[in-house]
Amino acid sequence: MTDRAAQQDQAMRGHFHRAAQQHGFTLSPAQHAAVERLGRLAGELARPGWRLRRPPRHLYLWGPVGRGKSWLVDTFLDGLATPHKRRLHFHDFFGRLHEGVAHHDAAAHPGAAVDHAVDELLDGCRILVFDEFHAHDAGDAMLVARLFHTLLDRRITLVTTSNYPPAGLMPDPLYHHLFEPTIALIEERMDVLDVSGPVDFRREPRPQGLGPRFATGALLRPGQEAAAGLTPPGPGEAAPVTAHHRGLTARAVRSDLVWFGFDELCEGRTAPPDYLALAERFRTLVLADVPALVDATGDARQRFANLVDVCCDRDVRLVLIGADPMAGLTPGSPIQRDLDRTASRLALLRSPAEATVREAAGKSVGETA
């Protein structure tokens, strides 16, 4: 390693330790291993003329929810002294990729369409972070497979986080075999690092003002809205909302709060780009008439899971009103396994009793958001 590369390696490790101290926690052993690997990557990216040779190895970080994966890659990018870096939530990128592929006529030239779309989305990028990578939708399996081939064949170093080891991607046994070549490619071309550990950093105390907004949401029964400072919408409050390219009807729009019914947002033909657009505009999202997910359609369950993912990643306060979404699920069933990550994230939401303790009593969620 050159002197410059060694300096960047050490500088990145110091940057991680200062950031952890600022956020009020101590790095776990699993995170220490990730910091060492990311520090080494920072040094490799600083090598003179690395672009003329093979780019540094790609990196796949995986572990359960709450182990600090997103914090690790965000801190890494923050400390990386290059403008040629991008960080994208996988939902966001994949939505844009779909649009780009359609624009380049995927029916006639599917492989070339993906290549052209990736070139447009990542023009000039040398280090790309995908946060929350997963593969559940069998219909998208081939597009994801082509995407990874395209990315790994370019002079881009890819760092991705996931709640699943590579072998756990596309868990549905009916379709898992379709994704096995992509899993083999990931394991061959990427360094796979397990950042699992006993500490769930979401539950660790944080310095005031550094806690996640998502965790200030709540799971309420109908009639408990006042416990969270909410007033149910009146009949005249319904309003149109544009999400991505889709028009939706909200039950209420109050400043940076939006209120939807489950049917409108999860049983309709919505998709992650719609939730991302809402997350950009609103800091609080209320979803009413939430059923037990075992009683919802499969598509609605997946849309609900995607909505929770986006709200958590974009740190949007999420208030759910209705039944316990996880009630009635059979332990070990395919539905329960598919919703493991969703259940972990919903566990962060407050109960009605906790929701009564608010920073500004008597004010609505929209006013205190």
Side-chain angles (χ1 to χ4, degrees):
M1 186 176 285
T2 66
D3 289 344
R4 175 173 171 75
Q7 290 171 1
Q8 291 299 314
D9 183 347
Q10 292 302 315
M12 180 60 74
R13 297 185 194 209
H15 172 66
F16 269 108
H17 287 282
R18 288 190 298 273
Q21 185 177 27
Q22 179 186 358
H23 282 75
F25 63 83
T26 302
L27 294 172
S28 69
Q31 287 184 319
H32 269 293
V35 167
E36 290 181 5
R37 179 63 184 86
L38 289 166
R40 191 162 69 251
L41 177 56
E44 292 167 349
L45 290 169
R47 291 180 311 190
W50 72 264
R51 295 179 192 175
L52 303 178
R53 302 189 294 271
R54 180 177 299 178
R57 287 270 298 178
H58 310 282
L59 183 59
Y60 185 105
L61 297 174
W62 74 274
V65 173
R67 269 53 184 182
K69 301 182 297 295
S70 296
W71 178 84
L72 284 166
V73 295
D74 286 348
T75 304
F76 169 69
L77 282 186
D78 180 61
L80 200 60
T82 176
H84 306 292
K85 56 187 178 181
R86 295 284 299 277
R87 188 269 199 199
L88 294 166
H89 189 280
F90 186 69
H91 280 317
D92 192 4
F93 181 84
F94 202 64
R96 297 185 197 180
L97 181 67
H98 263 293
E99 292 183 351
V101 168
H103 175 72
H104 289 290
D105 192 8
H109 307 286
V114 174
D115 292 346
H116 290 314
V118 169
D119 285 340
E120 290 179 353
L121 290 170
L122 300 179
D123 183 35
C125 179
R126 288 292 176 263
I127 177 75
L128 171 65
V129 168
F130 266 161
D131 200 20
E132 299 287 358
F133 172 66
H134 66 274
H136 284 96
D137 190 329
D140 287 334
M142 295 301 100
L143 183 56
V144 174
R146 178 67 197 189
L147 167 64
F148 262 75
H149 274 283
T150 299
L151 288 174
L152 298 183
D153 286 342
R154 273 163 170 66
R155 303 192 63 76
I156 297 172
T157 294
L158 174 64
V159 177
T160 187
T161 72
S162 181
N163 293 335
Y164 306 89
L169 297 169
M170 194 63 67
D172 190 327
L174 291 176
Y175 303 104
H176 182 76
H177 68 283
L178 297 174
F179 211 69
E180 286 178 343
T182 307
I183 291 170
L185 180 70
I186 290 171
E187 293 176 335
E188 174 191 349
R189 303 280 296 276
M190 305 185 76
D191 290 340
V192 178
L193 188 60
D194 181 358
V195 294
S196 301
V199 179
D200 184 341
F201 286 92
R202 301 168 304 168
R203 305 189 183 283
E204 293 291 290
R206 302 282 186 89
Q208 187 173 6
L210 290 175
R213 176 177 295 274
F214 177 80
T216 66
L219 178 59
L220 308 174
R221 298 285 187 183
Q224 295 177 328
E225 292 85 353
L230 287 167
T231 302
E237 286 192 82
V241 174
T242 300
H244 195 48
H245 301 310
R246 194 184 313 275
L248 301 172
T249 301
R251 296 186 181 182
V253 176
R254 302 168 183 167
S255 183
D256 58 3
L257 177 150
V258 65
W259 191 310
F260 285 103
F262 183 89
D263 284 353
E264 176 67 18
L265 211 53
C266 298
E267 289 286 5
R269 296 181 63 83
T270 54
D274 299 313
Y275 313 145
L276 288 161
L278 293 173
E280 290 296 321
R281 178 177 172 186
F282 300 101
R283 291 194 293 174
T284 296
L285 190 150
V286 182
L287 189 67
D289 301 330
V290 176
L293 293 177
V294 71
D295 297 326
T297 64
D299 286 344
R301 283 195 295 269
Q302 186 60 60
R303 292 189 187 104
F304 178 80
N306 291 340
L307 175 66
V308 173
D309 280 349
V310 169
C311 287
C312 188
D313 180 70
R314 296 302 173 93
D315 207 18
V316 170
R317 177 183 283 119
L318 178 65
V319 179
L320 304 177
I321 304 172
D324 177 356
M326 300 298 144
L329 294 178
T330 303
S333 67
I335 295 176
Q336 191 271 336
R337 290 196 302 270
D338 287 347
L339 292 172
D340 272 349
R341 178 175 62 183
T342 304
S344 296
R345 291 183 161 178
L346 294 184
L348 294 175
L349 303 183
R350 295 172 297 175
S351 67
E354 292 172 315
T356 61
V357 182
R358 308 199 56 81
E359 295 84 354
K363 292 186 178 181
S364 73
V365 173
E367 293 168 349
T368 61

